[in-house]
Amino acid sequence: EVQLVESGGGLEQPGRSLRLSCVGSGFTFDDYAMHWVREAPGKGLEWVSFISWTGGSIAYADSVKGRFTISRDNAKNSLYLQMNSLRTEDTALYYCAKDIKLGATRGAFDIWGQGTMVTVSS
Amino acid sequence: QSALTQPASLSGSPGQSITISCTGTSSDVGGYNYVSWYQQHPGKAPKLMIYDVSHRPSGVSHRFSGSKSGNTASLTISGLQAEDEANYFCISYTTNSTPWVFGGGTKLTVL
C-alpha cells in the first residue's frame, strides 16, 4: 500500500522549535518531489515547502522562509520539516504530500499523509 | 501572497453539473498549465482530482473535468452525486516569491 505517515507534532511555545517527520512506503521514495502543506483550524490549505527528488532544489512559502527547513533522507524514505522560531500563526495540521510527477514537480499531490497537528501557544 | 480566488460556496441538485472557478493572474493560472484541484471531505486529507489543468489521475471519476481560459481555471462536476459534497481547492504554480499558491476553497453543497 502506498502511504505517508507523519509524526512529530505537538504543543510548543512561541519561539521554540519542532521537527516533523514523514515516512513513505509502497513507492520509490527517491523518485519523487515531496511537499509540506498545512491547514490551520477552520481555514483552507496553505502550501509550505517543496524539496526535489534529489534534495537539490528547495522552496518555501514567504510565511515560513528563514524559519523552516525542509530536508529528506532517501535511504530512510523520510521527509523532514525543521520548524524554528514558531509563531501562533503556525498552528495547523501539517500534511506531507507526494508529487504525482516522476522526477519533477507539478504541484500535484497524489498521496497525502494523515497529518500531524502542531499547536503553538503559551 | 494572495490566494487564488474561488467562490466561497456553491450548491447543486443531484444529476446537475456545476463549475467551480479559480481566478488568478498571468503570473500563475494564466501563465502556466500547472493547476491542480483537490477534493476534501471534513476531517480527511485532500484528494487529487485534476492536475496539469485537465488531467485526471487514475481512479478519479470521469464526471470530474478541468479546463482553463485566460487567468481562470475551472473544475466541472457533471451528474452531481451526494458524495461530491465537499470542499474543493485549486492550486497553481506562480512566479511570485511563494511558488505554489492555493485558492481559498469552495464549499460544495449537494441539495
Side-chain angles (χ1 to χ4, degrees):
Chain A
E1 181 190 5
V2 178
Q3 65 174 354
L4 295 168
V5 179
E6 302 97 334
S7 61
L11 173 63
E12 193 50 88
Q13 295 179 334
R16 302 292 292 266
S17 299
L18 273 175
R19 189 194 196 207
L20 306 184
S21 299
C22 169
V23 178
S25 59
F27 65 99
T28 305
F29 186 82
D30 55 9
D31 275 349
Y32 295 93
M34 298 293 295
H35 300 252
W36 287 98
V37 175
R38 68 185 180 183
E39 181 181 11
K43 303 285 188 181
L45 301 174
E46 181 186 12
W47 176 86
V48 173
S49 184
F50 144 85
I51 186 167
S52 64
W53 55 303
T54 62
S57 183
I58 284 174
Y60 300 97
D62 284 348
S63 57
V64 307
K65 201 172 293 182
R67 301 187 298 120
F68 289 11
T69 302
I70 192 171
S71 62
R72 66 190 296 163
D73 183 342
N74 287 338
K76 296 181 178 179
N77 288 353
S78 292
L79 174 72
Y80 306 102
L81 187 67
Q82 178 67 42
M83 309 166 65
N84 297 334
S85 303
L86 283 165
R87 304 170 179 169
T88 55
E89 55 263 37
D90 294 322
T91 294
L93 183 64
Y94 284 74
Y95 294 102
C96 65
K98 166 189 166 293
D99 206 286
I100 196 172
K101 194 70 177 177
L102 187 69
T105 182
R106 285 290 191 270
F109 318 132
D110 63 338
I111 304 296
W112 295 65
Q114 82 288 353
T116 186
M117 187 68 202
V118 171
T119 302
V120 184
S121 174
S122 53
Chain B
Q1 180 69 40
S2 299
L4 304 175
T5 301
Q6 297 182 233
S9 62
L10 283 175
S11 62
S13 300
Q16 284 187 327
S17 293
I18 64 96
T19 296
I20 302 172
S21 61
C22 171
T23 301
T25 68
S26 58
S27 296
D28 39 63
V29 174
Y32 303 89
N33 288 328
Y34 297 155
V35 178
S36 299
W37 289 91
Y38 297 87
Q39 175 193 67
Q40 187 181 33
H41 289 106
K44 300 292 187 182
K47 176 185 177 183
L48 179 66
M49 306 304 285
I50 295 288
Y51 68 99
D52 289 358
V53 174
S54 60
H55 291 76
R56 234 183 346 262
S58 104
V60 171
S61 170
H62 283 69
R63 297 186 298 106
F64 292 83
S65 62
S67 62
K68 188 181 83 167
S69 177
N71 295 335
T72 298
S74 299
L75 173 71
T76 297
I77 309 173
S78 59
L80 264 182
Q81 299 180 0
E83 59 261 36
D84 299 332
E85 183 164 296
N87 290 309
Y88 291 85
F89 295 90
C90 61
I91 185 174
S92 173
Y93 175 76
T94 171
T95 55
N96 292 326
S97 52
T98 295
W100 299 97
V101 62
F102 276 100
T106 298
K107 180 177 172 57
L108 174 64
T109 301
V110 180
L111 302 170

